Amino acid sequence: TIDYIRVGENGVFFEEQTVESLISGINKLKFIELNGRKISTTARRFSAINFKDTFKHVIMEKINEKN
């Protein structure tokens, strides 16, 4: 999550995977203004299309290194 969560911009962290910690994280959201556009931009970085394109690029680089 550190790769894509920007506290105060597109989410919050919670310490443990417990109900109490999750509730605490949700309560933190009440005090920040999330930006829908920034959330969408961040989410697109992790889309299936971007994954496939990046994966192909990395594979092609490795193939070209061998040649």
Side-chain angles (χ1 to χ4, degrees), residues 4-19:
Y4 52 89
I5 298 296
R6 302 288 181 253
V7 175
E9 287 185 23
N10 63 1
V12 296
F13 290 111
F14 53 97
E15 297 298 319
E16 302 170 346
Q17 292 185 357
T18 64
V19 172

Side-chain angles (χ1 to χ4, degrees), residues 20-56:
E20 294 80 12
S21 186
L22 179 57
I23 290 170
S24 175
I26 291 169
N27 286 331
K28 290 177 189 176
L29 291 173
K30 295 177 185 177
F31 301 102
I32 63 173
E33 188 173 324
L34 298 177
N35 183 314
R37 184 169 287 169
K38 286 183 180 181
I39 294 170
S40 292
T41 300
T42 302
R44 276 193 292 279
R45 288 179 36 221
F46 298 94
S47 70
I49 291 170
N50 280 341
F51 175 82
K52 288 177 185 177
D53 289 345
T54 302
F55 190 77
K56 285 180 188 176

Side-chain angles (χ1 to χ4, degrees), residues 60-67:
M60 292 307 296
E61 281 184 341
K62 295 300 178 186
I63 290 171
N64 290 332
E65 285 177 10
K66 297 280 184 185
N67 295 327

